[in-house]
Amino acid sequence: MSNTAPVAASSTPRPAKNTTAPTDGLNADTTHGTTTVEDAVVAKIAGIAAREVPGVHDLGGGAARAIGALRSRINQTDQGQGISVEVGETQAAVDVTVVAEYPIPLHHVADGIRTAVTTAIETLVGLEVTEVNVTITDVHIPSDDDQAAAEPRVQ
């Protein structure tokens, strides 16, 4: 015979499975269901936030920008271009690859990206951002655009 008494059903709602995680974050269990946010969504949010930082000309390396240019011609911009995320249950780490505008100081651009991406992910997704690594692959000089638009010297 067992010494365990039967447990009566409780009418109070049970707490979320992981009470340390925010209930609106990644894979959050509530009494009304589960919320799952895909990694691509976190990358898109980070990309949108990074593009809004003064001094960011474009996201991604050379190949990603070339493909992005083709996509933009058919109105299918990839907001997650140049963004790589690693998402856990309660935390995220982000890698951002950018082309910066000249002559804005690169450390200001990098700091602005870190702040914007961290704020966006923590506010919209509810994840703690552990790190935002910024790689600046090129500097865009506005005079380069002027030369490309000029007429060719020979016909």
Side-chain angles (χ1 to χ4, degrees), residues 27-112:
N27 292 327
D29 291 333
T30 66
T31 58
H32 300 291
T34 302
T35 303
T36 303
V37 178
E38 296 289 335
D39 292 6
V41 174
V42 177
K44 185 180 267 191
I45 290 168
I48 292 168
R51 285 181 196 281
E52 294 176 351
V53 173
V56 172
H57 176 70
D58 204 357
L59 295 180
R65 289 194 328 265
I67 292 170
L70 292 173
R71 288 181 138 196
S72 67
R73 289 182 192 243
I74 58 172
N75 293 327
Q76 300 230 344
T77 305
D78 180 10
Q79 297 294 339
Q81 171 184 309
I83 306 292
S84 174
V85 297
E86 187 176 330
V87 180
E89 286 188 31
T90 61
Q91 297 178 326
V94 183
D95 296 325
V96 182
T97 304
V98 300
V99 175
E101 288 283 350
Y102 181 83
I104 299 176
L106 300 181
H107 61 282
H108 289 188
V109 175
D111 289 344

Side-chain angles (χ1 to χ4, degrees), residues 99-143:
V99 175
E101 288 283 350
Y102 181 83
I104 299 176
L106 300 181
H107 61 282
H108 289 188
V109 175
D111 289 344
I113 291 169
R114 283 187 186 93
T115 300
V117 168
T118 299
T119 300
I121 292 174
E122 288 181 350
T123 301
L124 298 174
V125 184
L127 293 172
E128 174 192 3
V129 177
T130 58
E131 64 182 20
V132 177
N133 299 310
V134 178
T135 302
I136 300 173
T137 60
D138 199 0
V139 176
H140 176 260
I141 302 170
S143 64

Side-chain angles (χ1 to χ4, degrees), residues 12-19 29-31:
T12 60
R14 62 183 173 87
K17 197 177 326 183
N18 183 356
T19 56
D29 291 333
T30 66
T31 58

Side-chain angles (χ1 to χ4, degrees), residues 150-155:
E151 288 187 38
R153 295 186 340 171
V154 294
Q155 292 185 7

